[in-house]
Amino acid sequence: MINKDTTTLHNLPSALSCEWIETNGLGGWASSTIIGCNTRRYHGLLVAATDPPTERMVLVSKMDETLVCGQNRFELGTNDYGTTVYPKGYTYMTGFSRGLFPVFEYKAGGITFRKTIGMIPGENTVILIYDIIKAPASFTLEWRPLLAVRNYHQLVHANPAVNRQAVFENAVFKTTAYEAAPTVFIQIPGACYQAAPDWFYHFNYRVEQYRGLDFEEDLFTPGNFSLVLEQGASVGIVLSTNDPTGRDAHALLAVEEKRKRNLLLDKTFRGSTEQVLTLAADQFIVKRSIPPNAAGESESVGATVIAGYHWFTDWGRDTMISLPGLTLSTGRYEDAKKILSAFAGSVSMGMLPNRFRDDGQGPEYNTADGTLWYFIAVYKYLQASSDMAFVLDTLLPVLKDIIAWHYKGTRYHIGVAADGLLYAGEKGQQLTWMDAKIYDWVVTPRMGKPVEIQALWYNALSIFAHLLELNNQISDAAAVAGDAARLKENFGHLFWYAAGNYLCDAIDEYGHPDTTLRPNQLFAISLPFALIEGEKAIAVTDAVRQQLYTPVGLRTLSNKDPRYKAVYGGDRLHRDSAYHQGTVWSWLLGAWVDAIIKTLVTDGRTEAQQVIRHFHYHLSEACLGSVSEIFDAEAPHHPRGCIAQAWGVAEILRIIKEYNLAVD
């Protein structure tokens, strides 16, 4: 349980910096700040994935409440209009907690009540439960829904096209705001509805303003609901894209509560951090439809990973890096199997998709590393599940095809060079995880032979050889192992930067070493099959510890480098130019802990324990109970980017589980 009291809630800047998110396993969500004031275009009470897990739409931006006691009205909403914040409903809040669900507590006019918000898995459905804890007399609670009904990347302004008509029958309200838009249903048992269609103007989203984007929006309200309540009452509200007639909000939320509790059952937790992250991990695993196969067999449902909330879809690289932590560390082997199967069906020319687009178009394959991370995910799945039949019968042929394409050469000049190392690169493309691109400017192009690509290729060959041996293809396994050994030998000659006592970040397309000090070199140590060991590995970890490590992740560039950016912020040019030029990434803590465990034989676990202990505070800031994508490079390391990032959650959860690290 993460709690915030009035010290935070009544301090507007502090309250607005804390957010929450509930997800539905389809790619949709409910999310806002802990005081219900939306600060992002992506905040919304009902954000639906209309083509799961993509095509998200902000349908219901929020529902502002008003408490009426006799002649007194207490407006409990909080909205930012730029020049003013009105109403100031946050001043009536007495508590916020994030456990299984976000819970808000209010006190006004002698009345105390608690609001709980949850989502239903597999549906674009939100549940709100209001429990009246104390009320000296009966009173009225009013709700005003504010609708956006737009793509989640866009903003809406007052317009005549909105449908001002709505239907309210048998406690169920429904409206279709625009032609072809999803219908919004709101069920409030026992409530009265008064139509009063109107626009509310100039909602400001201050985070979007900071990000250099348009930040002002108008929202439409069809009217308001009211319900007389008394002490001990509990009212359940359903907001959905499906007709909720006959459904009970309390029963729906009880089922979801049981499901979440089951995620924590039969597991030996090493501290509260692991429990919190186990619940956070659940939010990223979503359904993805698999199209009919060549034989015309019917569509089936697979699984994938949302890379980050609020704006990412499912990315191949992020999914494979995240899979061990999200699924294997939590015992969700069937989900892991579905994910590996779904991506196996998406391989093209020996490559996994880099990302699935959010516009209905085909996947993009611009990645040199995502495909190689697939080998790591398969290997760790086999280690955890012992599911030899699935790996050898279903996945090994796919891996063989991938290896063959890399030897033959595939998109973007990705292919094995004469020295056995993997070359990747094409002008205007960004193929590694350091993929910031501003129009035609690739900020960190890294064409040639990036260090982590070599580590991943070495691991892909080593894992492939291991699987061939398990499949009784002994001579084939020996040949692949020989290629891996040659790669390892040549890597040592090419990449060691003696003057700095660390590894080069890349050998560029002209054969020149890039001696920039970056965290990518850690993967030569951290992955299952290490490219360097002994004194050189120790030297690398020392360099990273001295110049890149922070309590919340690793800097992407040494602070001694003239290109170093200490702050990630501003418009797109300023943000993306800093994205991998100093900005701290949380997911890199996984590779960091792997490396220190491997290099510090006697003290590695002690230092790893400290890493988790120093990171723990972050779970109580930004998106409560989750892990931010990135942070400013200098203290206090302000959280930036996505409020909840899959590989950040996954990697920290993985190392806690793998190395038995406990933090309360």
Side-chain angles (χ1 to χ4, degrees), residues 67-100:
L67 192 154
V68 183
C69 303
Q71 301 301 310
N72 298 316
R73 295 177 62 85
F74 302 92
E75 296 189 59
L76 306 181
T78 301
N79 298 308
D80 185 351
Y81 294 103
T83 57
T84 187
V85 171
Y86 180 83
K88 293 181 170 57
Y90 65 93
T91 60
Y92 299 115
M93 286 192 69
T94 57
F96 175 90
S97 61
R98 167 83 244 197
L100 296 179

Side-chain angles (χ1 to χ4, degrees), residues 354-420:
N354 184 34
R355 72 175 180 122
F356 292 92
R357 298 179 55 152
D358 211 355
D359 54 11
Q361 298 186 35
E364 294 180 342
Y365 287 86
N366 55 325
T367 175
D369 53 354
T371 306
L372 304 179
W373 278 107
Y374 188 62
F375 285 76
I376 308 294
V378 170
Y379 181 69
K380 292 192 172 184
Y381 170 78
L382 180 59
Q383 286 184 310
S385 69
S386 301
D387 190 356
M388 187 103 55
F390 170 66
V391 171
L392 296 184
D393 297 343
T394 302
L395 300 185
L396 183 56
V398 177
L399 301 183
K400 181 180 179 181
D401 179 67
I402 291 171
I403 294 290
W405 270 103
H406 280 68
Y407 274 106
K408 180 167 56 176
T410 185
R411 299 176 179 90
Y412 308 114
H413 302 297
I414 299 171
V416 180
D419 56 8

Side-chain angles (χ1 to χ4, degrees), residues 232-515:
S234 182
V235 59
I237 298 176
V238 181
L239 291 85
S240 183
T241 56
N242 299 318
D243 187 347
T245 300
R247 305 187 79 184
D248 180 85
H250 292 86
L252 290 170
L253 195 66
V255 171
E256 173 59 357
E257 179 179 352
K258 182 178 180 180
R259 187 192 72 85
K260 287 190 174 186
R261 290 192 184 280
N262 285 339
L263 295 174
L264 305 177
L265 292 179
D266 301 323
K267 295 180 177 67
T268 303
F269 289 104
R270 294 148 187 82
S272 61
T273 299
E274 187 179 353
Q275 289 181 299
V276 169
L277 292 175
T278 297
L279 291 173
D282 178 61
Q283 298 186 324
F284 298 99
I285 301 171
V286 301
K287 294 179 181 178
R288 172 173 276 285
S289 295
I290 301 174
N293 59 25
E297 294 171 342
S298 61
E299 184 179 86
S300 61
V301 176
T304 188
V305 169
I306 291 293
Y309 294 103
H310 302 96
W311 50 78
F312 284 123
T313 56
D314 46 340
W315 289 58
R317 174 193 302 119
D318 300 59
T319 297
M320 295 311 140
I321 292 172
S322 301
L323 185 145
L326 298 185
T327 63
L328 306 181
S329 295
T330 56
R332 299 173 68 152
Y333 300 146
E334 190 60 33
D335 285 323
K337 189 173 183 177
K338 287 181 179 179
I339 293 167
L340 293 172
S341 295
F343 274 86
S346 302
V347 172
S348 167
M349 293 177 62
M351 298 177 68
L352 255 68
N354 184 34
R355 72 175 180 122
F356 292 92
R357 298 179 55 152
D358 211 355
D359 54 11
Q361 298 186 35
E364 294 180 342
Y365 287 86
N366 55 325
T367 175
D369 53 354
T371 306
L372 304 179
W373 278 107
Y374 188 62
F375 285 76
I376 308 294
V378 170
Y379 181 69
K380 292 192 172 184
Y381 170 78
L382 180 59
Q383 286 184 310
S385 69
S386 301
D387 190 356
M388 187 103 55
F390 170 66
V391 171
L392 296 184
D393 297 343
T394 302
L395 300 185
L396 183 56
V398 177
L399 301 183
K400 181 180 179 181
D401 179 67
I402 291 171
I403 294 290
W405 270 103
H406 280 68
Y407 274 106
K408 180 167 56 176
T410 185
R411 299 176 179 90
Y412 308 114
H413 302 297
I414 299 171
V416 180
D419 56 8
L421 276 69
L422 196 64
Y423 181 94
E426 184 177 292
K427 294 291 185 184
Q429 294 294 331
Q430 71 283 46
L431 301 178
T432 72
W433 79 275
M434 291 189 158
D435 58 0
K437 182 179 178 182
I438 307 169
Y439 305 109
D440 293 329
W441 175 37
V442 177
V443 181
T444 50
R446 306 179 74 229
M447 282 180 61
K449 302 169 183 174
V451 63
E452 80 278 13
I453 299 299
Q454 309 318 310
L456 286 163
W457 178 236
Y458 176 69
N459 274 262
L461 291 175
S462 301
I463 291 166
F464 185 50
H466 173 67
L467 297 180
L468 288 173
E469 188 174 343
L470 291 177
N471 205 42
N472 293 317
Q473 296 176 252
I474 306 304
S475 60
D476 292 338
V480 174
D483 286 352
R486 179 167 168 262
L487 184 161
K488 185 172 185 177
E489 182 178 358
N490 288 334
F491 176 87
H493 297 317
L494 285 172
F495 275 83
W496 187 250
Y497 177 48
N501 216 23
Y502 58 82
L503 291 170
C504 297
D505 188 59
I507 306 299
D508 72 17
E509 64 266 42
Y510 306 109
H512 302 142
D514 177 357
T515 59

Side-chain angles (χ1 to χ4, degrees), residues 574-587:
H574 288 87
R575 284 184 283 116
D576 282 357
S577 64
Y579 206 32
H580 303 108
Q581 300 288 57
T583 297
V584 170
W585 287 71
S586 55
W587 80 278

